Amino acid sequence: MTMSRLSPIFDVDDCSPGQTPEQQERMVITPTHSMASLSGSLTSSASSAHASYVASMPLPFRYVDPSHPALHGSLTPPASVTGKVLNFSPGPTNLPPAVEAEVQRRAFPQPHELRLGSMAQSHRSPEFGAVLENALRVTREVMRVPPEYEILFAQGGGHGQFAAVPMNLCSHPGEEATYVVNGTWSKRAVEEASKYCTPTVISALNDDGSCTTLPSVDRINAEINPRSKFLYVCSNETVNGLELHDLPRLASRVPLVVDASSDFTSKPIAWRRANVGILFACASKNIGHPGVTAVIIRRDLLNRANPMTPGILNYTTNLSA
């Protein structure tokens, strides 16, 4: 079986602002060979209907690949599949049947129950407040989070936190941080952070851009910028297959920031011994709904945000909401 990268659904970067709408409209992404084979089984009526839909879309949203599998139900199993369908692709985890049944019962009550489900309750109601308090309590219990840390549920996934972390810990772009870059996600994180702080990079990338190893603790101790407001690591670089099974315990007292999106709740965290300042996770991969982001922050790191930080990304604002 040959694996190849699927082209993106949207790609407006190739379109020049000076081009006419007719020129831009012709710039449709060419499907890869694997996409062509996947789309070969699509019915002509479905393709025709989708083509008409695309044609009706205003620019710039018309820059789509009409044959992209995601637009044709490629994630829907064939009718011949029976039993429970499991998702092994990146994204939301599969829940045990008993949990799914309880979620359905609470969220969507039967008509004779004469009650509102959790999906219909106000976020300011005492009923939802109890749901939130329970989620915070269980998270603290499962993760063994010490009392000096606050737990937030945010939006924006890991990419949102790539911006939120430097904006909350660096009061202006001239303040410094150190990033350990050992794969795809930490590389994206430092690229985003460079807009809001001045990063020092400890890179484990090979000359060809690949990554096959982690920097040693000795190297991190030698190269960390002592003026850093934080040291950033990704504990599990899924694209590159590198995982930190234990967080580094460094000589420096610079707070450690951990992107734990793909190993969240899977192992104990040495909160104090590793000097963890922030641990965040795109929670859908392991514990929750798509879009939910967990942020666990030590209280002494609050109230340090850049004044330009949007309220939705400001940890102190979120905590007081």
Side-chain angles (χ1 to χ4, degrees):
M1 178 178 181
T2 302
M3 301 293 290
S4 63
R5 182 179 65 85
L6 296 181
S7 62
I9 300 175
F10 297 96
D11 190 356
V12 299
D13 292 339
D14 292 334
C15 303
S16 170
Q19 291 175 318
T20 66
E22 290 76 16
Q23 289 172 319
Q24 294 177 350
E25 189 173 0
R26 289 197 296 269
M27 300 189 72
V28 177
I29 302 168
T30 302
T32 63
H33 177 72
S34 61
M35 290 175 61
S37 63
L38 282 170
S39 61
S41 61
L42 301 175
T43 63
S44 59
S45 59
S47 298
S48 175
H50 177 69
S52 299
Y53 169 72
V54 170
S56 68
M57 295 173 70
L59 294 171
F61 301 106
R62 208 180 299 172
Y63 310 129
V64 299
D65 174 9
S67 64
H68 196 288
L71 299 178
H72 294 274
S74 66
L75 302 181
T76 302
S80 59
V81 173
T82 59
K84 182 175 176 60
V85 178
L86 300 178
N87 175 21
F88 289 99
S89 62
T93 186
N94 297 290
L95 298 175
V99 176
E100 289 184 342
E102 182 65 11
V103 169
Q104 185 173 21
R105 185 191 70 81
R106 294 187 186 188
F108 305 104
Q110 297 297 314
H112 69 273
E113 294 184 81
L114 299 178
R115 66 179 176 87
L116 285 175
S118 59
M119 298 290 288
Q121 291 177 6
S122 166
H123 65 287
R124 300 188 185 279
S125 68
E127 292 83 2
F128 177 78
V131 172
L132 178 60
E133 287 299 321
N134 183 66
L136 293 169
R137 179 188 61 79
V138 171
T139 301
R140 188 175 295 276
E141 179 181 324
V142 170
M143 296 291 293
R144 299 181 180 177
V145 179
E148 64 266 30
Y149 290 81
E150 295 287 352
I151 301 171
L152 304 174
F153 294 124
Q155 300 177 2
H159 281 81
Q161 295 306 309
F162 294 168
V165 165
M167 294 187 86
N168 278 273
L169 298 187
C170 297
S171 61
H172 58 82
E175 291 198 318
E176 298 170 271
T178 297
Y179 277 70
V180 176
V181 176
N182 60 296
T184 298
W185 302 115
S186 49
K187 183 173 182 290
R188 289 190 186 183
V190 73
E191 288 171 352
E192 181 68 16
S194 63
K195 304 174 185 176
Y196 313 110
C197 68
T198 303
T200 295
V201 175
I202 302 174
S203 177
L205 298 180
N206 300 320
D207 292 341
D208 61 359
S210 64
C211 190
T212 54
T213 187
L214 295 161
S216 67
V217 171
D218 288 342
R219 182 185 169 195
I220 296 174
N221 278 327
E223 297 185 20
I224 188 172
N225 182 342
R227 296 181 299 277
S228 294
K229 296 300 181 180
F230 61 91
L231 170 68
Y232 186 104
V233 299
C234 177
S235 58
N236 190 19
E237 286 281 6
T238 51
V239 176
N240 306 83
L242 296 172
E243 182 176 11
L244 281 168
H245 293 286
D246 195 15
L247 295 178
R249 292 156 196 175
L250 305 172
S252 170
R253 295 307 296 166
V254 172
L256 185 66
V257 172
V258 185
D259 174 359
S261 291
S262 57
D263 56 0
F264 189 58
T265 71
S266 70
K267 57 194 176 188
I269 300 296
W271 297 97
R272 292 167 175 153
R273 284 184 296 168
N275 195 31
V276 176
I278 294 175
L279 184 144
F280 71 84
C282 180
S284 62
K285 287 190 174 184
N286 283 12
I287 66 164
H289 301 289
V292 174
T293 306
V295 180
I296 303 173
I297 179 170
R298 207 171 60 206
R299 288 196 192 96
D300 64 294
L301 299 179
L302 294 168
N303 299 304
R304 300 187 180 192
N306 185 319
M308 299 301 292
T309 304
I312 197 170
L313 295 180
N314 190 306
Y315 298 147
T316 305
T317 302
N318 276 259
L319 187 61
S320 61

